[in-house]
Amino acid sequence: MYKREEEKLTEYKNSYDDIKVPLDLLDEAILTGFQKAKAEKGKKPRNRKMLFSFMAAAILFFGFFTSIKLSPAFAAYVADIPGMEKVIELFRGDKGRMLAIENEYYQEIGVSQEKNGLKITIDGAIADENGLVLFYSIESAEKQKEVILEEVGLLDQNGQKLNWSSASMETHHASEEGETSYNGSLEYFFDSLPVQKDFEIKIKVKSDQQTEDYKLSFSLEKEIMTKKTYKINKSVMIEGQKITFVEADIYPLRVAVHVKMDPANSKKLLNFDDIMLVDENGEVWNKINNGVSASRISENEAILYLQSNYFNNPERLYLEINKIQAVDKSEAFVVVDTDKEQLLKKPSGNQLYDFKVEEDYLMFKLQTEEEFNAFPFGGITDGNGEEITPKQTEMLDHEGEVELRVNIPNLKEFTSPISLEVSFFPTWITGNEKVRIK
Amino acid sequence: MNDEKTVQRAIEGDDTAFLNLIQLYKIDLYKTGYSFLKNEEDVLEAIQEVTYRAYKNIRSVREASYFKTWLIRIMINYCNDQLKKKNRVVLGDEVLTFQGSTDDYVTLEIEDAMLALDERSREILTLKYFHDMKIKDIADSMQRPEGTVKTWLNKALKSLREKLEEKGGNVNV
């Protein structure tokens, strides 16, 4: 009955018989997937602690994982530097940082301190004009099931705390079977990197049996490469919302894209979920998917951060925008009555529900069809307009149903109703727009 | 190689058995991935993710003899998700590059028609014609009666014909 179609299908199949299969890369991919599954078997997910300063920084932690291939020359280079494999492992999801390492922009530090058998090492760093990423490892003679960096403080050479604008740190490591070594990264972004290159870092580490305080000094010796700036000044419309791309600053650690939203837009645009840089060859640089992904300058202005292509020099470079989290402006706050335990206001739809107060915690449930990893709330104010700084916010995933917890010390002393600004939310506007930036 | 025994051992948590199985089907996986995603880099990422998912879900293999179908279906599902996520502009570009690199017109036509099919039809046609799987195997792995799968297959062939005719019509302008 469908003989012709069946023949075509067979032909189609045969056309794949002599397709070129990159066997080495294929095996590498299999191994990576296998190791990832294996690693997860024994480990609880790592937590990344996010910190904010005066600027409301929007921070995302995505669980997904992409791999970037290593060239043979790069692999050889990596093999030469102690501890480098681990750094690569941390950065597999970030093309820009891999390129920074490949271009020998990674700086070895190798400063360590040992206390009662628990040793911490600052292995190395990547720094640019506004960011500093440090890699650390923690080693112990005995296997540890849990290692936590309880306090981390970055100081200048005079012992003064440095004013960073956002930081993102991997502070919690766990393994059911126990490990003798853990490693992670600490990221700081500044309005501008301090001119001096000497730093001190204070870290309190808690392992299964002990808690130790460490203080390490290190210097950055590599020359800091300067950013490249491209003026854009182009606007796009997505579902009736106007967005203007002002300019892009390309730093070795990330690309910062300055965007402005039209104040006349009916929706508040929250997070640019699907935005990427594409060069003339179709090579793609995604958003930062594990760390600071955007900073809000004001109501209608933000900086979006993408993985850096600093070390590539494309002839043409485009920004592609496909999907943005958005809520109606009139629904951009969640308001709760803490006395009656009632949700007074929230974005329409049934994503957010089941509000409760338990001691110093505001608790919500969030249900989404698509995976959603961002904590929805930003600034919090009480009934008198007084700003509230939560001690901690948590997102706990119970098989599809996410529990949100906001810990506010002395919650009862604040006047109800409390309002929470919506910074992320699982409702989207979509389109596909392409803007040339270079 | 005694497949079923290896599958059994993999289900029981034998890593070597698992890796042997992936090795055995890696080319099939690669080709399947390529038929959906059309570029090496994406397919390699797919392979990584499929290996990951397969290892994580190995216990959900209900019958050892259908392991291959089970594995290929993970790949197809993953690819469908990726295609949904992808923006149309990029996809268009990739299809163009692919077209530029081949002069096999027939393949092109069917390739386009396959891309235009709904997910289920594409999955069935991929399993049946790309991997020469039996209706019974497909039905079992989808946990559906054979009759249903046959109906689906017919529907898939019918819409494939329609798509091919659409294309043909355009070409003859």
Side-chain angles (χ1 to χ4, degrees), chain A residues 165 234 251 294 316 328 363 408 419:
Chain A
S165 55
K234 282 176 196 154
Y251 295 94
R316 279 171 287 138
D328 281 342
M363 317 216 316
I408 301 174
S419 84

Side-chain angles (χ1 to χ4, degrees), chain A residues 1-6 8-13 15-23 25-34 36-38 40-41 65-67 69 92 95 274 276 278 282-284 320 322 431-434, chain B residues 13 15 18-19 22-23 26-27 30-31 34-36 38 40-41 44-45 47-49 51-52 55-56 59 85 87-90 93 98 104 106-107 109-111 114 122 125 128-132 154 157-158 160-161 164-165:
Chain A
M1 199 179 161
Y2 291 106
K3 201 155 173 277
R4 206 172 76 96
E5 283 71 28
E6 293 195 300
K8 285 208 167 176
L9 283 163
T10 310
E11 241 175 277
Y12 175 48
K13 173 191 178 237
S15 77
Y16 273 80
D17 279 352
D18 37 281
I19 183 182
K20 189 180 103 265
V21 180
L23 285 173
L25 293 172
L26 184 54
D27 286 341
E28 196 185 299
I30 291 171
L31 207 61
T32 312
F34 171 71
K36 188 186 153 210
K38 196 87 187 129
E40 259 177 40
K41 226 179 167 182
F65 186 88
T66 47
S67 132
K69 283 168 271 167
R92 270 193 178 262
K95 231 170 162 170
D274 194 354
M276 54 191 141
V278 184
E283 181 156 10
V284 171
E320 281 194 19
N322 301 307
N432 48 71
E433 296 295 330
K434 202 165 174 175
Chain B
D15 289 349
F18 173 80
L19 285 171
I22 301 287
Q23 282 297 327
K26 68 181 180 186
I27 305 288
Y30 187 85
K31 286 182 183 174
Y34 207 100
S35 78
F36 281 75
K38 315 287 181 209
E40 185 182 304
E41 197 173 334
L44 289 170
E45 204 169 307
I47 296 275
Q48 185 185 311
E49 183 61 27
T51 309
Y52 169 80
Y55 188 83
K56 282 265 190 184
R59 279 192 196 87
K85 273 189 209 161
N87 102 49
R88 245 171 267 139
V89 178
V90 170
D93 286 351
F98 182 74
D104 185 348
V106 182
T107 316
E109 200 187 329
I110 187 140
E111 193 106 61
M114 287 286 274
R122 190 156 189 213
L125 294 181
K128 174 80 172 59
Y129 295 98
F130 214 81
H131 296 289
D132 299 317
N154 261 316
L157 285 165
K158 184 163 173 268
L160 183 69
R161 173 178 287 176
L164 284 169
E165 276 163 7

